[in-house]
Amino acid sequence: MPRTREALRIVAENVRLAQEALPVPLALENIAALFCWPDDELTEAEFLAELVERTGVGLLVDVANLHTNQVNLGLSAVAALDALPLEHLAYVHVAGGLEHGGLWHDTYTARAPQAVLDLLAELCARTEPPGVLLEWDDAYPPDDVLLEELARIRSAMAAGISR
């Protein structure tokens, strides 16, 4: 959807309705994109920050999606971290993907590239996440590979927290 003021108004109203209907807190996630809408008025981080301000909704930060948008759209992932209201952080996702045809695809089928783990460390230098989830949805590796990936995530988190 285009990130316009009108879209923000509509999404904020829908979030309010969902918050009223749900018996649990709601959190929204940043997306991975292959293109930007030509009439965007806000960056994704600005859009989410205003949405959080208007509704109090929680924020689920997917650092793999930040990486995807940096590669595909040229948007600075660190600038997005700077603009997001991390005091409303509910959860963090980490995942891998693959490059195809000059674009990064967030596939959840591979180890997270070092750049994603570096973004996780950047996030952890700013705030300690309430939880971090490794997303791996297909092409499951052996258990030892998953354990190695979890160790890489813990290491990146520790490096960021110790800054």
Side-chain angles (χ1 to χ4, degrees), residues 67 111-121 152 156:
H67 169 72
R111 293 176 191 252
Q114 188 58 47
V116 168
L117 296 177
D118 292 344
L119 287 171
L120 177 61
R152 293 177 67 225

Side-chain angles (χ1 to χ4, degrees), residues 5-23:
R5 296 267 173 217
E6 178 61 13
L8 178 62
R9 185 190 64 73
I10 292 166
V11 172
E13 181 57 29
N14 287 335
V15 166
R16 281 190 205 95
L17 291 171
Q19 288 170 316
E20 290 173 10
L22 294 172

Side-chain angles (χ1 to χ4, degrees), residues 129-146:
V132 176
L133 173 76
L134 169 61
E135 293 183 286
W136 202 309
D137 297 344
D138 198 8
Y140 301 106
D143 289 348
D144 61 320
V145 173
L146 287 174

Side-chain angles (χ1 to χ4, degrees), residues 31-42:
I31 66 164
L34 296 173
F35 63 89
C36 286
W37 290 93
D39 55 350
D40 280 351
E41 298 170 4
L42 305 161

Side-chain angles (χ1 to χ4, degrees), residues 91-152:
Y91 218 74
V92 175
H93 285 173
V94 177
L98 58 90
E99 185 275 328
H100 179 74
L103 293 173
W104 183 260
H105 298 270
D106 191 29
T107 63
Y108 313 115
T109 60
R111 293 176 191 252
Q114 188 58 47
V116 168
L117 296 177
D118 292 344
L119 287 171
L120 177 61
E122 280 293 326
L123 184 144
C124 290
R126 290 162 168 73
T127 189
E128 191 167 345
V132 176
L133 173 76
L134 169 61
E135 293 183 286
W136 202 309
D137 297 344
D138 198 8
Y140 301 106
D143 289 348
D144 61 320
V145 173
L146 287 174
L147 291 173
E148 288 172 17
E149 193 67 2
L150 291 173
R152 293 177 67 225

Side-chain angles (χ1 to χ4, degrees), residues 12 15-16 19 25-28 48-59 85 87-90:
V15 166
R16 281 190 205 95
Q19 288 170 316
L26 180 65
L28 297 180
L48 288 171
E50 286 201 36
L51 187 59
V52 168
E53 183 179 319
R54 291 180 186 200
T55 65
V57 70
L59 186 60
E87 64 276 8
H88 290 272
L89 185 63

